[in-house]
Amino acid sequence: MSVKCHTWLPFLGQEIPADLTAPADIARFELEQGGVKASLTVEPAMGEGWQIAKTEDGYALRGGESGVLYGAYQLLMAKQTGAEPQAESAPRYSLRMLNCWDNADGSVERGYAGRSLFFEGGKFDYDPARMRQLARMLASVGLNVLCINNVNVRFPADQLVNTWLPELAELAAIFRPFGVRLMVSIDYSMPMRYGVDTADPLDEDVAQWWKDQAEKVYKVVPDLAGFLVKADSEGRPGPFTYGRNHAEGANMLARALKPHGGVLVWRCFVYNCQQDWRDLTTDRPKAAYEHYAYLDGQFEDNVILQIKNGPFDFQVREPVSPLLYAMPGTVKAIEFQLAQEYTGQQIDIYAMPPMWKEIFDELPADNVQAIAAVTNLGRDDNFTGHPFAAANLFAYGCLAWNPEIVPEEVIRLWAKLTYALPADQEDALVQLLMGSRRTYEKYTSPLGLGWMIYPHHHYGPNPGGYEYTPWGTYHKADRNAVGIDRTAGGTGYLLQYPEELQAKYATPENCPDELKLFYHRLRYDYVMADGRTLIQRIYDDHFEGLAETQAMAEVLAGIDLPSPDREVAAERMHRQLHNAREWCDIINTFFHRLSGVEDAQGRTIYL
Ligand code: GCU
């Protein structure tokens, strides 16, 4: 492995020979490279699970086809960290997906780690050795489905299921031995470019066209995981054009995939992005539930509804999407975003496991049957732009395998595997990462409001940026109050939840501080549980967020990271400090100008 790239697989010295194509053979090779003695038994009935027992001179590893590979990586990680491996494990979800938002032209939508790993100049363009390295990284944390192209499918990316099939097959062959199946995003209106005069899902010609196309695809890539679809969302085509609902729309495609064992992953990120801000009857977070909940039980069994973790769009703080509590008769996947679109763009440090834990503390893990995340990957040497963003990818794999992971343990494991730091520095790094989300939250938008960002690129503070836009993302701050009442007496959003959750958030007094302004419109002189006024809490959080970032910079400077991670992290911290200062000053000035209330501690708020 090149010294330019520190990953959590430092124990793997050598590239895997291309002629190893069975997961068990790769497992043997990896174990040998890592100096771990283990006998391997493949028991297909064990699926992806594995068991490890100690023997006289090493270990006995049993597992299903890819289970043995997952188990082998566990053995290697245990050796690397000096821990004893777990005795057995099996994944909670059978589909553990990564969604790449890579475009055929080589750009990556919301990509913060360089250009696409797969495409450039309107065609496939990748380094096979790098692909194998990526496949290894994914397998080492048990990720098993990789959707390689953006959900916003633009020509020529639609050719992935057409003229690019031979190249798709070549790429699939690289990932296959690692138990990673490819998936592709498709364009719902595609039949119309091939002589069908509609994309109406109930039209027989449309259904037949997709059936034929699926047959062509599966002839070439027989284990393709399936299709991913963004329909009727942010300008994408979909069944609404023909007066059809999304069960009708999804089922047509699902039937085309079914004979081949493919799944149809259908995203529920559907809302009106042309909203009139004057319209008080529409509340964007209500949209997904309104579009889907009533369709429960109407989807084919190979349809998976992919639902973003929150009802808006990956803000630093959102409630769990109410749709994730609904639709008991439908297969659902929760969707996270590793790409730090709204969470610092892989410039600011933002470790996600504490956020995921909060989500799964509130959402029973069995409410979903699959898990997906938008990747944070790109062509940068270190794959993720910020070297610490790799911790999110690593931890996501662990979470997809077992949603009950303990954030600090997983972050520590990543740190140990990636950098062999002295214990005090390792602690410092783990604590820095563990606190990074809370700090970011403090210096950005307050108490669950979200969206005070620059439109389009979504980095940096702009409190009025989305206020009178068609995007449905408003805070409505005036001189007295801020936030939106989403309770029964307001937009009624809260009524989409089961009753226990309604009770939790219904009154400003009960509602946890972090979401107070998501659910309630509060006056600046509203007194919080700790005795501070709302406006004072806003000022305090922002000053604290900035101070904490300054403290993070000092801690970071004291950690002896290997080069080039040290330089990359230091340069990004410099930009994070600038960002935190901008946020702190702009948000505080914004609220000070509106409210006219002075900071009780007399700190500088610019006029
Ligand atoms: C966000 C993001 C878009 C993306 C969309 C999606 O709105 O800004 O770039 O296409 O989410 O999830 O489809």
Side-chain angles (χ1 to χ4, degrees), residues 91 99 151 248 266 334 356 433 435 495 513 536 561 572 603:
N99 296 176
V151 288
E248 292 166 323
W266 187 269
I334 187 168
W356 300 332
L433 289 169
L495 300 173
D513 283 356
Q536 190 57 42
L561 296 173
R572 285 177 194 230
R603 292 160 292 195

Side-chain angles (χ1 to χ4, degrees), residues 41 52 59 130 203 223 249 262 287 326 422 434 447 463 472 479 517 562 567 600:
T41 314
I52 294 172
Y59 296 94
R130 201 120 209 263
D203 184 285
D223 59 351
M434 282 298 291
L447 307 167
R479 64 184 179 155
L517 295 177
E567 294 76 16

Side-chain angles (χ1 to χ4, degrees), residues 101 109-110 151-152 230 234 267 269 308 313 335 341-342 458:
W101 285 359
E109 180 147 339
R110 311 304 177 187
V151 288
N152 297 311
K230 173 176 177 178
E234 300 184 329
R267 294 178 83 233
F269 184 56
K308 288 191 180 183
D313 187 13
E335 178 179 338
E341 174 177 1
Y342 300 101
H458 296 167

Side-chain angles (χ1 to χ4, degrees), residues 569-586:
E571 187 275 333
R572 285 177 194 230
M573 178 47 85
H574 187 70
R575 286 193 271 161
Q576 177 172 358
L577 279 168
H578 176 78
N579 191 38
R581 175 167 291 285
E582 286 295 286
W583 272 101
C584 173
D585 288 344
I586 290 174

Side-chain angles (χ1 to χ4, degrees), residues 37 68 102 267 323 325 401 426 442 475 484:
K37 271 197 152 180
V68 283
D102 292 35
R267 294 178 83 233
L323 195 55
Y325 295 91
W401 186 274
E426 181 184 292
K442 282 186 182 175
H475 54 70
I484 291 178

Side-chain angles (χ1 to χ4, degrees), residues 77-142:
M77 290 189 201
K79 175 168 187 245
Q80 174 82 1
T81 57
E84 269 308 312
Q86 231 181 289
E88 61 184 324
S89 192
R92 177 64 150 270
Y93 305 119
S94 57
L95 281 182
R96 304 177 298 280
M97 304 181 271
L98 276 178
N99 296 176
C100 302
W101 285 359
D102 292 35
N103 297 314
D105 66 5
S107 61
V108 180
E109 180 147 339
R110 311 304 177 187
Y112 311 104
R115 310 250 328 147
S116 167
L117 279 162
F118 314 111
F119 311 109
E120 192 56 71
K123 56 182 175 52
F124 269 111
D125 179 0
Y126 58 80
D127 170 2
R130 201 120 209 263
M131 290 296 111
R132 267 193 295 279
Q133 193 181 16
L134 174 61
R136 250 163 137 178
M137 286 167 68
L138 303 188
S140 73
V141 287

